[in-house]
Amino acid sequence: MTNDQSDKTFRPNRRGFLGVAAATGAASLAPGVLTGTVATTAALAEASEPASSSQSVGASASTVTAKLPSPVPGYLSFGPDEAGFVEVMVNVMCPADALTPGGVDCGLAAYIDRQLAGGFGKGARLYMRGPWREGKPELGYQLPLTPEQFFKAGLAAANAACRKRNGKAFSELDESGVDRFLHEIADGKVTDERVQLASWFNELVYPLFEQACFADPVYGGNVGKVFWKAIGYPGLPAVHSQDMVDFRGKPFPGAADPKSIADFA
């Protein structure tokens, strides 16, 4: 797989996303271009298959995990099967190693769930009254679904495609199988007649994943500021104009103890 940072399609290796996301900045809370037709709504009837989370955590990752607070408990949007799919996905996209625990322990699944359960996921800022016509990519979001509905429709379609393609549910694949299947979705090699799976992953799932890594921990992800510490981001206050002058080319002391919104509450 390539790791070209100019390509926004999901192509990084298993930990390469950190360099891509840190270089490009956190993605907008609004999804990118998602075009489709009203036929996509049929996918909402699909139920995800039962899933369970599996983690491969080494001794070094266990040490990091032990130092982190627990992720936000429970899910507000995901049902058990949906949560299982997302947990398996984020644990492969963010595998446990010496830098971070697995994606679930970093709060990535919790962040995505909270975003979908809130105003963003409910389409609070979207015009949802149609007409639902086939749109050009540059026209933006053109689906008769909220982001939450589209996310869930994509999960169901991806799981069904995985069963058809591999003879197994997504959660039943081994780690390399999950990684390969996600790349195939991102590259447009896995299709569904109701859901544009490449757009679903590249323009909704992956941006939410990036945000989960680097957003303020009060939103559920980036537990213990683990990703901020990994890239040396000092957190709040967000404006460091004078610090950029004083510490240009030097380590910034504040990066060792980044501050979140909660630290100023």
Side-chain angles (χ1 to χ4, degrees):
M1 294 296 174
T2 63
N3 192 19
D4 180 4
Q5 295 187 9
S6 66
D7 186 355
K8 294 303 290 182
T9 301
F10 174 65
R11 297 181 186 275
N13 56 34
R14 296 178 65 218
R15 295 211 63 81
F17 81 90
L18 276 172
V20 175
T24 58
S28 168
L29 284 181
V33 175
L34 302 172
T35 60
T37 66
V38 72
T40 309
T41 56
L44 289 172
E46 294 288 341
S48 303
E49 297 297 328
S52 61
S53 173
S54 60
Q55 302 182 51
S56 176
V57 182
S60 59
S62 298
T63 301
V64 177
T65 304
K67 298 178 181 179
L68 296 181
S70 298
V72 178
Y75 292 108
L76 302 179
S77 176
F78 297 145
D81 298 339
E82 294 164 341
F85 188 111
V86 174
E87 288 182 359
V88 169
M89 180 175 67
V90 299
N91 275 341
V92 168
M93 293 173 70
C94 177
D97 63 10
L99 292 176
T100 71
V104 172
D105 287 328
C106 289
L108 307 189
Y111 175 92
I112 294 172
D113 172 78
R114 295 307 191 267
Q115 290 300 308
L116 295 176
F120 163 74
K122 303 300 183 184
R125 299 181 65 182
L126 298 176
Y127 180 76
M128 299 298 299
R129 299 183 64 180
W132 310 113
R133 300 170 182 168
E134 191 74 24
K136 297 179 180 180
E138 58 267 28
L139 296 179
Y141 195 102
Q142 297 291 308
L143 294 176
L145 304 175
T146 65
E148 180 186 39
Q149 291 172 328
F150 186 46
F151 192 98
K152 290 171 176 279
L155 285 185
N159 205 44
C162 185
R163 280 193 171 279
K164 183 177 181 180
R165 196 176 186 89
N166 300 295
K168 298 179 180 180
F170 182 77
S171 64
E172 296 172 341
L173 299 177
D174 59 21
E175 190 173 280
S176 62
V178 169
D179 186 60
R180 181 172 58 254
F181 185 67
L182 292 177
H183 277 84
E184 289 171 344
I185 289 178
D187 291 338
K189 297 177 181 178
V190 179
T191 60
D192 182 273
E193 62 182 11
R194 299 155 302 175
V195 180
Q196 296 184 22
L197 286 174
S199 292
W200 169 76
F201 185 86
N202 292 320
E203 305 296 342
L204 180 59
V205 176
Y206 191 74
L208 282 171
F209 171 77
E210 283 187 314
Q211 294 161 28
C213 293
F214 297 107
D216 193 287
V218 298
Y219 299 109
N222 192 20
V223 170
K225 310 165 192 171
V226 61
F227 293 101
W228 286 0
K229 294 174 182 177
I231 64 173
Y233 177 65
L236 300 178
V239 179
H240 294 272
S241 57
Q242 188 59 45
D243 291 333
M244 293 173 64
V245 175
D246 296 341
F247 293 93
R248 187 177 300 278
K250 305 174 186 178
F252 179 56
D257 184 25
K259 302 298 183 184
S260 73
I261 294 173
D263 294 318
F264 294 89

